[in-house]
Amino acid sequence: MKLNRRRFLGTATLATAALSAPAVLGQTRPRVVVIGGGSGGGTVARYIAKDSNGAVDVTLIEPTRRYYTCYFSNLYLGGFWDYDALGHGYGTIARTGVNVIHDWAVGVDRDVKTVALASGDSVSYDRLVVAPGIDFVEGSVPGWNVSQQSLMPHAYKSGTQVQLLKHQIETMREGGLFVMVAPPNPYRCPPGPGERVSMVAHMLTQSNPTAKILIVDPKENYSKQALFEEGWERHYPGMVTRIGPDMGGDDFEVRPESMEVVIDGEVEQADVCNVIPAQKAGRIAELAGLTNDSGWAPVMPADMRSRVDENVFVLGDASAQGDMPKSGFSANSQAKVVANVIRGELTGSRIFPARYSNTCWSLIATDDGVKVGANYEPTDEKIASVSSFISQTGEDADLRRQTYEESIGWYNGIVADIFG
Ligand SMILES: Cc1cc2nc3c(=O)[nH]c(=O)nc-3n(C[C@H](O)[C@H](O)[C@H](O)COP(=O)(O)OP(=O)(O)OC[C@H]3O[C@@H](n4cnc5c(N)ncnc54)[C@H](O)[C@@H]3O)c2cc1C
């Protein structure tokens, strides 16, 4: 529901209503508001503040005080990474000059250019960046809704769900069954479910070697499929089974109370069930009227500008842009393009042609890393892949170890770029 202007102003105090009209207060600096302090929003806020040297007033709205990356959360499941090492605070972003507000954005009035906060306050903008990540499509997994996430965790958003999932796997009965309900396209981190299966298999091989893993997948095929299948056969023989749509993997229902998964009419008793539902843009993008029937927010390929409002940019997972996968790397890459464009429009600095890139690394077993990536350029229609690469099956152990080490370098680099 989009807040109408009357109701929106009605929720603001006199002081904040005045703040939403910067001209009245003699506000001279142009104002940028960023909704969402994740990989995309954190980057764009920091880069605009840093590069404009205080010429632009940047406000970041993010409810949590600590952002836990989804990237490397699978490695935490596998025992390769500490949970604490996934968490990053907003101190450095604030010290760069960004006004960080820990609150939810609950509405956007694009006519008067204001964002309403859950506290009842509002902030006004000249340019708005919407980067809220994903939400789940209700009803996409029959029998599951978000109130059952403690019984059948998704562990697919930043936060404590992944700790719960790890605890459930660690305490699973001997010889138990771990089921993953994989999502349909498009979803964040295309190789994420395959990497998660690898890391769960790694953990079970050590602590519960007679346990089994069952993947229920509505997709014909999935990212890095040949690499994962080769790795599972080599490292975890006989542990992982996948039921694709040809075997009824697109016809399922879950029963969280009894821990049952019904696949093509047959009931499987799960001990742990990881439900990763179908996805759409974070809800605030829809409330702001930026999404279409696909559930994602269409943007211009050259600069991630919303196709429905020239003062609004949508970046990261929430955007519908073309060929780039929904990843932290992509969101960070898009954010730098957006920061350059917004700063140019507001301060007159030079705007460079957009170039985007992405690499997604996955760990299959100890020192067995693989990657897929591409460079992208904007066309009239979409952000298009112009060159791509992928690890090959049969690569030697040295190369796989180097690829894994590269991924650690990438993790340390991106979190330093955003939060460090
Ligand atoms: C298991 C897993 C593994 C992954 N591995 C990788 C990997 O190896 N490499 C990689 O590049 N990517 C990986 N990803 C994907 C990556 O995490 C996401 O693509 C990336 O975080 C998207 O960035 P974003 O800024 O769009 O959204 P997010 O990083 O999710 O940030 C969105 C932020 O918006 C905030 N927000 C939401 N609604 C509101 C609101 N109404 N008001 C204010 N704030 C709001 C949220 O609190 C959140 O902090 C992985 C994902 C998963 C689930």
Side-chain angles (χ1 to χ4, degrees):
M1 175 198 69
K2 184 168 181 275
L3 284 177
N4 69 38
R5 192 175 307 174
R6 183 180 304 248
R7 183 157 162 247
F8 175 89
L9 285 177
T11 62
T13 62
L14 202 57
T16 53
L19 265 180
S20 69
V24 176
L25 290 181
Q27 169 78 45
T28 51
R29 288 195 299 161
R31 299 184 62 138
V32 174
V33 173
V34 180
I35 298 177
S39 307
T43 307
V44 79
R46 185 171 182 183
Y47 269 72
I48 295 175
K50 177 169 70 71
D51 294 343
S52 74
N53 260 328
V56 179
D57 183 331
V58 185
T59 298
L60 175 65
I61 302 163
E62 164 59 48
T64 64
R65 286 176 187 274
R66 216 164 164 73
Y67 175 81
Y68 285 85
T69 61
C70 289
Y71 22 104
F72 276 49
S73 65
N74 286 330
L75 276 70
Y76 157 72
L77 279 181
F80 292 93
W81 208 252
D82 284 340
Y83 186 72
D84 284 350
L86 299 172
H88 307 278
Y90 290 90
T92 304
I93 290 181
R95 281 190 292 280
T96 313
V98 176
N99 174 29
V100 181
I101 299 178
H102 289 297
D103 201 350
W104 288 95
V106 294
V108 176
D109 188 325
R110 293 194 283 106
D111 294 336
V112 287
K113 297 200 225 154
T114 46
V115 177
L117 306 182
S119 64
D121 287 347
S122 71
V123 281
S124 59
Y125 63 83
D126 297 297
R127 295 290 184 280
L128 175 66
V129 182
V130 180
I134 56 153
D135 266 314
F136 299 126
V137 176
E138 275 172 44
S140 61
V141 176
W144 190 92
N145 65 55
V146 85
S147 72
Q148 285 144 333
Q149 64 181 5
S150 304
L151 297 171
M152 293 187 170
H154 55 80
Y156 227 67
K157 287 188 187 189
S158 170
T160 54
Q161 274 266 297
V162 68
Q163 287 179 299
L164 173 66
L165 184 62
K166 184 167 185 174
H167 175 72
Q168 291 181 350
I169 300 165
E170 280 170 346
T171 54
M172 191 165 99
R173 76 178 167 86
E174 203 182 318
L177 179 66
F178 171 92
V179 180
M180 171 188 280
V181 177
N185 291 319
Y187 60 96
R188 68 169 22 165
C189 195
E195 183 186 58
R196 177 168 293 171
V197 165
S198 307
M199 291 294 93
V200 172
H202 175 80
M203 179 179 163
L204 290 174
T205 299
Q206 294 171 347
S207 59
N208 191 347
T210 55
K212 298 283 183 225
I213 297 175
L214 180 64
I215 309 165
V216 185
D217 196 343
K219 301 183 291 299
E220 294 284 347
N221 41 48
Y222 60 97
S223 176
K224 297 181 185 160
Q225 183 162 356
L227 295 165
F228 284 127
E229 287 177 355
E230 178 196 54
W232 297 339
E233 197 50 47
R234 181 186 311 150
H235 301 292
Y236 321 113
M239 187 177 261
V240 183
T241 304
R242 173 175 174 268
I243 300 182
D246 50 331
M247 305 285 284
D250 55 353
D251 174 15
F252 54 80
E253 176 197 335
V254 298
R255 297 174 183 158
E257 298 297 336
S258 57
M259 289 301 289
E260 290 172 322
V261 182
V262 188
I263 309 157
D264 203 18
E266 292 204 15
V267 179
E268 293 284 348
Q269 188 65 49
D271 293 280
V272 177
C273 184
N274 175 207
V275 170
I276 309 176
Q279 295 160 30
K280 61 180 182 178
R283 184 153 166 68
I284 189 68
E286 185 185 338
L287 291 175
L290 301 169
T291 56
N292 62 16
D293 288 347
S294 72
W296 307 99
V299 294
M300 307 296 289
D303 56 10
M304 308 298 292
R305 195 185 305 269
S306 164
R307 286 192 184 264
V308 300
D309 189 329
E310 62 181 8
N311 294 309
V312 179
F313 296 76
V314 183
L315 59 84
D317 290 356
S319 63
Q321 35 68 22
D323 293 348
M324 294 185 83
K326 298 183 186 299
S327 74
F329 196 131
S330 295
N332 177 259
S333 170
Q334 294 161 3
K336 290 174 185 174
V337 169
V338 172
N340 176 249
V341 169
I342 290 181
R343 190 164 64 90
E345 287 181 0
L346 298 180
T347 69
S349 64
R350 184 160 168 210
I351 298 176
F352 295 93
R355 286 223 184 89
Y356 306 97
S357 58
N358 178 67
T359 303
C360 284
W361 288 267
S362 305
L363 188 61
I364 300 179
T366 305
D367 285 337
D368 191 354
V370 291
K371 63 182 173 181
V372 60
N375 291 312
Y376 303 85
E377 280 175 13
T379 65
D380 289 345
E381 182 209 345
K382 64 175 185 176
I383 296 181
S385 171
V386 290
S387 63
S388 63
F389 56 87
I390 183 166
S391 297
Q392 300 299 303
T393 53
E395 285 173 345
D396 68 36
D398 267 0
L399 180 54
R400 291 296 178 89
R401 196 187 58 254
Q402 278 172 35
T403 304
Y404 172 53
E405 284 165 2
E406 237 177 58
S407 75
I408 296 174
W410 169 76
Y411 184 92
N412 292 332
I414 190 172
V415 296
D417 193 40
I418 305 170
F419 300 103

